[in-house]
Amino acid sequence: MRSIGHFVGGKEIKGTSGRFADVFEPMTGEVQAHVALASKAEMREAILNAKAAQPAWAATNPQRRARIMMKFLELAQRDYDKLADRLAREHGKTVPDAKGDIQRGLEVVEFACGIPHLMKGEYTEGAGPGIDIYSMRQPLGVVAGITPFNFPAMIPMWKFAPAIACGNAFILKPSERDPGVPMMLAELMLEAGLPPGILNVVNGDKEAVDAILDDPDIRAVGFVGSSPIAQYIYERAAATGKRAQCFGGAKNHAIIMPDADMDQTVDALIGAGYGSAGERCMAISVAVPVGQATADRLMEKLIPRVENLKIGPSTDPTADYGPLVTRAALERVKGYVETGIAEGAKLAVDGRGFKMQGYENGFYMGGCLFDHVTPEMKIYKEEIFGPVLSVVRAKDYNEALRLPSEHEYGNGVAIFTRDGDAARDFAAKVEVGMVGINVPIPVPIAYYTFGGWKRSGFGDLNQHGPDSIRFYTKTKTVTSRWPSGVKDGAEFSIPTMN
Ligand code: NAD
């Protein structure tokens, strides 16, 4: 049985807490590894190690830091297949989808390669008599990332690449459900030339997370996961004066206007609703057709597509999606389907009975499709995080705009239409952080920022893009005066530029 420890000070070390968690292979349902769960003392040791290594890294010039990122990109290409295979086997998503997970992370590493330019400060000559003013960005010190199971490559890279490029040392606490790839990424960073102690992976559960939150040497915490935990982390990190950005769950709506290209829309809904078994924070989980006729046309095309989804083991590249991450996740999603039926929604496609031949113990579930879901229902209010799409019929555009705007989550939303006016109005007015126009999963590209609103994001500043540089640095502003002959004596009033 594979045993996964921690990656601290440039090497893998064994856990000493005596506590472990099972890592499953979702496609077979078997336990494939044990991962160590760090104690408070082990976390403290890793943080002290990082703290000792950080000043020399911060003093390394930004071009050299960028070159290590570039080398890492090369090594990740070399090991792409190995990474994707491990990812698919621990998470359950298919290998092509796992490659996408890695790629979206690498794109943020590419962004971080621009660090010499991104960290430049500002300069104003002659802001006053003999006065010049300039600002500089400096790293924070030791920072931490706490990441979810559903993107075990992408989200760790979204966190550590900008943080490290800025000159910080990083403690990554990945999900205990699929920790294998984060460990591999840390090894690759070391091979790329990153000094030991700058990127550390400390595996664990709540005990490790709390140790990060309470540690006086951690300056900032970036979290991604479910909303209750995001809020908890935000509040506890803030209580000890840390910077915190905590991204949470989602309920992403797709609005389908009467003039939408229905074939393209159905393709988009199928991919975004059921890809990765719906275990994406940007998955479409609610479709909102506008008007009765639109709803009927949508259902007519959608039902056979959901019935014919191809579910397969993670290693089958032709599968539309693979198993869910754990049996507990599978049971939770099935529980939501039962709740939906009890609440009076119409289950148009029922995938609960799906069995994968040859993989009977895997965590598989067929696609489910609900019609006539209403905003009062639990299956509408809560995040299901599985292959379940709910259709909420709206009578007009205004009702369709209100639904995502009034939902407590505000991560992503999409509108399908050929009408430029409607699309523009929607993008301007909807109360959601990321908007797609005929784009179902509007995850912004690496040099823009990613972040949801309302209960999908706690704290300030988004992930990747320019916000990530702001989040992982502090700004210092220097006002300098070289009077050369100007003598104006003691000044007792506040200096102004009058
Ligand atoms: P999760 O909240 O269960 O776990 C996330 C992290 O928090 C893990 O590292 C876990 O070990 C830790 N954690 C769990 N319980 C904890 C506790 N009680 N105290 C302290 N730490 C704890 O989330 P998950 O199931 O791994 O991931 C799925 C969730 O993440 C979904 O809600 C999804 O929408 C969300 N997500 C959001 C985004 C985004 O950018 N908004 C992106 C991906 C996933």
Side-chain angles (χ1 to χ4, degrees), residues 203-226:
N203 286 303
D205 55 6
K206 181 169 166 51
E207 183 171 342
V209 171
D210 288 349
I212 288 173
L213 299 177
D214 296 341
D215 196 288
D217 287 314
I218 294 284
R219 301 283 178 230
V221 178
F223 172 86
V224 178
S226 57

Side-chain angles (χ1 to χ4, degrees), residues 488-495:
D488 43 20
E491 176 85 69
F492 292 97
S493 316
I494 180 135

Side-chain angles (χ1 to χ4, degrees), residues 147-150 173 176-177 209 223-226 248-249 281 383 450:
T147 55
F149 81 85
N150 69 325
K173 204 305 284 170
E176 59 275 44
R177 286 179 235 164
V209 171
F223 172 86
V224 178
S226 57
C281 68
E383 182 182 45
F450 178 108

Side-chain angles (χ1 to χ4, degrees), residues 210-290:
D210 288 349
I212 288 173
L213 299 177
D214 296 341
D215 196 288
D217 287 314
I218 294 284
R219 301 283 178 230
V221 178
F223 172 86
V224 178
S226 57
S227 289
I229 310 295
Q231 183 169 6
Y232 164 75
I233 291 193
Y234 178 63
E235 289 170 359
R236 190 152 169 173
T240 52
K242 297 182 193 348
R243 235 175 236 199
Q245 51 169 209
C246 302
F247 298 95
K251 198 79 181 177
N252 306 311
H253 295 56
I255 312 301
I256 299 118
M257 296 295 283
D259 66 349
D261 175 331
M262 200 51 88
D263 289 323
Q264 191 215 28
T265 303
V266 168
D267 276 343
L269 290 180
I270 282 286
Y274 298 93
S276 199
E279 291 176 322
R280 288 184 184 139
C281 68
M282 290 294 271
I284 295 280
S285 48
V286 181
V288 185
V290 175

Side-chain angles (χ1 to χ4, degrees), residues 130-384:
I131 294 176
D132 302 324
I133 182 161
Y134 60 96
S135 66
M136 55 175 119
R137 294 197 168 277
Q138 295 185 326
L140 302 176
V142 185
V143 298
I146 300 159
T147 55
F149 81 85
N150 69 325
F151 281 100
M154 179 184 87
I155 295 179
M157 284 191 261
W158 283 12
K159 301 282 178 209
F160 75 65
I164 287 175
C166 287
N168 298 290
F170 199 86
I171 304 285
L172 173 65
K173 204 305 284 170
S175 171
E176 59 275 44
R177 286 179 235 164
D178 45 13
V181 169
M183 294 287 283
M184 289 166 82
L185 295 174
E187 271 170 41
L188 287 182
M189 282 295 283
L190 190 84
E191 191 184 340
L194 191 71
I198 299 302
L199 175 57
N200 307 279
V201 181
V202 183
N203 286 303
D205 55 6
K206 181 169 166 51
E207 183 171 342
V209 171
D210 288 349
I212 288 173
L213 299 177
D214 296 341
D215 196 288
D217 287 314
I218 294 284
R219 301 283 178 230
V221 178
F223 172 86
V224 178
S226 57
S227 289
I229 310 295
Q231 183 169 6
Y232 164 75
I233 291 193
Y234 178 63
E235 289 170 359
R236 190 152 169 173
T240 52
K242 297 182 193 348
R243 235 175 236 199
Q245 51 169 209
C246 302
F247 298 95
K251 198 79 181 177
N252 306 311
H253 295 56
I255 312 301
I256 299 118
M257 296 295 283
D259 66 349
D261 175 331
M262 200 51 88
D263 289 323
Q264 191 215 28
T265 303
V266 168
D267 276 343
L269 290 180
I270 282 286
Y274 298 93
S276 199
E279 291 176 322
R280 288 184 184 139
C281 68
M282 290 294 271
I284 295 280
S285 48
V286 181
V288 185
V290 175
Q292 200 60 35
T294 314
D296 293 343
R297 274 197 300 138
L298 175 71
M299 291 309 287
E300 194 189 321
K301 286 186 187 274
L302 204 48
I303 289 172
R305 295 291 297 274
V306 179
E307 285 171 340
N308 289 310
L309 282 164
K310 185 175 178 204
I311 297 128
S314 318
T315 44
D316 176 358
T318 66
D320 294 329
Y321 69 86
L324 279 90
V325 65
T326 54
R327 182 162 301 285
L330 177 65
E331 295 308 329
R332 200 181 48 82
V333 176
K334 285 185 176 174
Y336 271 112
V337 177
E338 273 153 38
T339 303
I341 297 167
E343 287 178 312
K346 182 175 173 240
L347 188 60
V349 182
D350 184 358
R352 285 174 296 167
F354 177 83
K355 285 268 173 292
M356 188 70 225
Q357 240 191 337
Y359 295 85
E360 282 74 12
N361 294 323
F363 312 136
Y364 299 92
M365 181 167 166
C368 290
L369 177 65
F370 273 115
D371 197 0
H372 299 287
V373 174
T374 60
E376 302 73 42
M377 292 179 184
K378 191 171 164 190
I379 58 162
Y380 175 75
K381 288 185 186 150
E382 297 183 10
E383 182 182 45
I384 298 176

Side-chain angles (χ1 to χ4, degrees), residues 16-95:
T16 55
S17 71
R19 293 196 309 123
F20 295 89
D22 289 338
V23 178
F24 289 93
E25 184 177 60
M27 71 174 178
T28 58
E30 277 163 21
V31 175
Q32 58 168 315
H34 291 134
V35 60
L37 302 175
S39 64
K40 192 173 173 192
E42 287 172 288
M43 181 60 82
R44 180 68 188 148
E45 210 177 304
I47 293 168
L48 286 176
N49 204 297
K51 189 180 176 189
Q54 192 266 337
W57 176 241
T60 303
N61 74 53
Q63 270 174 300
R64 287 194 178 181
R65 299 203 300 259
R67 277 182 208 130
I68 289 170
M69 296 284 163
M70 291 178 208
K71 184 70 191 171
F72 171 80
L73 288 171
E74 235 179 270
L75 298 176
Q77 291 299 333
R78 182 197 69 192
D79 290 358
Y80 220 111
D81 290 339
K82 227 164 50 180
L83 288 161
D85 184 72
R86 173 63 52 81
L87 200 159
R89 284 173 188 278
E90 287 190 2
H91 175 282
K93 63 179 75 176
T94 62
V95 169

